[in-house]
Amino acid sequence: MVQDYGLFIGGKWKKSEGKRFETRNPATGEVLATFPLATKEELGDAVHVAKGAFEKWRKTPAPRRGELLLEAARIFRRKKEELGRIVTTEMGKVIAEGRGDVQEVIDFYEYAAGEGRRMFGDTVPSELPDKMCLTVRMPVGPAGLITPWNFPMAIPGWKSGAALIAGCPFILKPSSLTPLCAAKFVEVLDEAGFPPGVVNMLTGSGSVVGDGLVAHPDIRAISFTGGVDTGKHVYESAAKKMIKVGLELGGKNPILAMDDADLELLMDGVMFGAFGTAGQRCTAASRLIVHQKIYDQVLEDLAARAEKLRIGNPIDEKTDMGPVASAEQEKKVLEYIEIGRKEGDGLVTGGKKLTGGAFDKGFFIEPTIFEVDRRKRLALEEIFGPVLSVLKAKDFDDAVSIANSVKYGLSSSIYTTDLRWAFRAMQELEAGITYVNAPTIGAEVQLPFGGIKETGPTDTREAGPTALDEFTYWKTIYVDYSGRLQRAQIDTEKLTGG
Ligand code: UN1
């Protein structure tokens, strides 16, 4: 039975006045549930409720907030299989990755809960006697979390875990391709017992809910993961309010393959990095930059490996790659394949939509590999699908210069058995993340995640200890216990005797 969901506001599911939309399985076309397009008034209600809840939530001791995060992590663990299957059914990633999506929430909630007992500030010596100086983190206020469809549990998990432990209630606006995952996500938080108004979820359009959150005076932080154009728009609007903004806007992530690389290891990494999640990760390995000495060998091995991948319904444990997430996504990827053909890129394998039988019901595209010249669009633009561009490099320096020639800077990787290349790559690759002898995907939650250049501003990082920066500001506190007026910068002679 198809369930009709409402909006989650103030700890309750509320009926909406808005029109409804359907969410579907991208492998089968089956309708999974319907959701409302929240109205402007409903957005106002949700922000009002979140603002009210902030007063109590910010005063709840952080270790107590952490206990609720741990409780949520326990429920996510108990429901991991059920939720993992929903991720796969609604978004289309293979079931092992669907489970991984949920695991990433468990990991981060446990990590963030611990932060509730740390959240370290500094104590700093004063220049005056009988005076103490310290810094503490303060929650900024209600936050808007705008999340994509490719990690429909994990990304809401990173953003909400950090907001919650910091003391900020939030309104989650999930992608309209994966509202069911978001609904299941907030159901877990509800079961964990977060106070009413701390957790809220509004489905709807970017123009009403997304823009509405960014512009609302009572929303004090925005965390957005999505495309560059929307990200820039969010950044500009948020700047008008001078609020905190976290942005993660994609990548064109390179794997550098040096002539001394372990080729088996490289092939395993490239297959997982390029075609895992059907290439629909911000961190996907979408460029393979190969040293000329091993280029022909690599190309041959790649085609053989890609052709062996089993494409099909992602719920089947044996499937290696599922569909792309939507008709729109399929159209975009096929357009890029067409651009590759027109620009004269050499098609190594794949390049077609899969049709016939069960494929006709979903959005299946062959794992596709092109030989690409470094100045062509397939070498520079994010595709967000199962399309890998292979580029030939003269040597290490040439490989690095190709790697750094794009507008993005999220993840990067080098395969080499020579320490010198590995360490130089760590220094020279322009990216927020560099892997050595591992693909560009698979970041762990206890480390900062984010990029440089047009991937996003460098002042915020999701995950890791830096996650708190998105939702807190520093307060500096001076405590003078001398019992008299002491003047910094002026009463210096008394101390020096001069
Ligand atoms: C993303 O694609 O936006 O590092 C996030 C990874 C995952 C997260 C990807 N842990 O590939």
Side-chain angles (χ1 to χ4, degrees):
M1 214 194 60
V2 172
Q3 198 175 332
D4 300 317
Y5 281 84
L7 304 168
F8 193 74
I9 302 174
K12 289 200 174 64
W13 287 99
K14 298 247 163 83
K15 262 202 149 74
S16 166
E17 299 295 313
K19 290 205 184 86
R20 304 194 68 82
F21 65 96
E22 291 171 340
T23 174
R24 289 169 183 265
N25 182 332
T28 64
E30 175 202 3
V31 176
L32 303 171
T34 78
F35 283 85
L37 293 165
T39 63
K40 218 171 155 227
E41 291 67 39
E42 289 160 347
L43 168 82
D45 292 347
V47 178
H48 179 74
V49 162
K51 194 185 176 192
F54 178 53
E55 284 315 301
K56 230 172 132 187
W57 187 238
R58 72 189 172 93
K59 291 181 191 150
T60 305
R64 295 278 94 79
R65 298 199 290 256
E67 281 169 18
L68 289 175
L69 273 101
L70 277 184
E71 180 57 20
R74 272 191 285 274
I75 302 169
F76 277 116
R77 200 182 286 284
R78 171 160 53 75
K79 292 189 165 176
K80 180 174 166 184
E81 185 59 27
E82 178 200 329
L83 297 174
R85 294 181 89 79
I86 290 168
V87 169
T88 290
T89 311
E90 193 180 34
M91 182 272 159
K93 62 176 69 178
V94 293
I95 182 64
E97 293 180 3
R99 293 181 190 116
D101 212 302
V102 183
Q103 186 61 45
E104 206 155 337
V105 183
I106 300 168
D107 294 344
F108 189 65
Y109 265 53
E110 288 179 350
Y111 177 79
E115 205 48 65
R117 288 192 183 269
R118 286 187 296 269
M119 235 182 264
F120 299 132
D122 291 320
T123 58
V124 182
S126 169
E127 64 185 50
L128 293 161
D130 297 332
K131 188 177 170 192
M132 189 176 187
C133 316
L134 56 142
T135 60
V136 292
R137 283 189 186 272
M138 304 288 285
V140 292
L145 314 179
I146 307 175
T147 56
W149 45 264
N150 68 332
F151 276 83
M153 296 264 170
I155 294 180
W158 296 351
K159 294 186 192 305
S160 65
L164 289 170
I165 199 66
C168 300
F170 69 83
I171 295 166
L172 170 66
K173 188 256 176 258
S175 158
S176 295
L177 286 183
T178 51
L180 184 57
C181 288
K184 295 290 170 189
F185 182 87
V186 300
E187 274 174 13
V188 171
L189 301 197
D190 187 32
E191 189 181 334
F194 286 93
V198 170
V199 172
N200 306 280
M201 199 263 293
L202 299 177
T203 46
S205 69
S207 55
V208 174
V209 184
D211 282 344
L213 283 171
V214 180
H216 198 293
D218 291 329
I219 290 292
R220 305 310 303 161
I222 289 285
S223 185
F224 170 82
T225 299
V228 173
D229 293 341
T230 317
K232 284 184 179 171
H233 167 69
V234 167
Y235 204 30
E236 276 170 21
S237 327
K240 294 198 182 106
K241 280 164 59 186
M242 291 198 236
I243 59 166
K244 287 252 179 178
V245 204
L247 299 170
E248 201 275 275
L249 311 176
K252 186 72 185 173
N253 313 291
I255 291 182
L256 275 57
M258 297 306 292
D259 54 346
D260 52 41
D262 174 335
L263 287 187
E264 269 304 299
L265 189 66
L266 171 71
M267 285 306 140
D268 289 345
V270 173
M271 286 301 120
F272 184 47
F275 302 121
T277 329
Q280 302 167 110
R281 293 196 190 206
C282 301
T283 50
S286 50
R287 293 182 295 158
L288 176 61
I289 304 171
V290 187
H291 193 289
Q292 55 179 352
K293 278 199 194 148
I294 55 165
Y295 186 81
D296 292 340
Q297 175 71 53
V298 165
L299 220 54
E300 204 176 295
D301 292 358
L302 272 177
R305 292 287 290 261
E307 282 156 20
K308 276 204 206 102
L309 291 175
R310 287 162 302 199
I311 320 301
N313 192 323
I315 207 78
D316 181 346
E317 303 277 351
K318 289 196 286 295
T319 298
D320 295 314
M321 197 181 91
V324 294
S326 66
E328 195 188 330
Q329 199 56 26
E330 179 183 81
K331 184 164 169 273
K332 187 182 148 207
V333 175
L334 292 174
E335 271 168 19
Y336 265 110
I337 291 175
E338 213 30 55
I339 290 168
R341 285 209 174 93
K342 284 208 183 106
E343 290 200 341
D345 301 328
L347 183 64
V348 178
T349 185
K352 288 192 297 293
K353 173 177 165 55
L354 286 160
T355 51
F359 286 134
D360 285 338
K361 296 203 172 114
F363 311 115
F364 294 92
I365 299 176
E366 289 177 329
T368 298
I369 301 176
F370 275 105
E371 277 187 274
V372 180
D373 179 273
R374 63 188 73 188
R375 282 169 293 272
K376 299 285 176 60
R377 286 182 67 188
L378 261 53
L380 301 169
E381 295 175 24
E382 186 181 49
I383 301 172
F384 225 67
V387 181
L388 172 68
S389 302
V390 187
L391 296 103
K392 193 191 284 186
K394 286 197 274 299
D395 52 23
F396 174 83
D397 289 318
D398 191 35
V400 169
S401 101
I402 297 171
N404 291 345
S405 66
V406 297
K407 68 177 183 182
Y408 296 101
L410 181 55
S411 188
S412 58
S413 144
I414 183 165
Y415 278 77
T416 180
T417 49
D418 189 327
L419 269 180
R420 287 170 304 173
W421 298 138
F423 274 86
R424 281 194 55 197
M426 292 178 221
Q427 294 292 324
E428 290 171 35
L429 288 173
E430 292 172 0
I433 305 168
T434 296
Y435 289 88
V436 177
N437 290 330
T440 52
I441 68 176
E444 300 181 29
V445 301
Q446 67 277 24
L447 290 110
F449 180 91
I452 64 171
K453 298 171 159 177
E454 291 199 14
T455 293
T458 49
D459 59 341
T460 54
R461 286 284 180 263
E462 295 192 89
T466 45
L468 286 173
D469 296 339
E470 275 196 67
F471 303 102
T472 57
Y473 65 91
W474 285 110
K475 173 172 275 195
T476 304
I477 299 174
Y478 297 100
V479 185
D480 191 321
Y481 53 97
S482 69
R484 60 183 188 277
L485 173 67
Q486 299 199 90
R487 299 171 301 176
Q489 293 97 37
I490 295 172
D491 295 338
T492 51
E493 66 283 357
K494 280 196 196 112
L495 299 172
T496 57

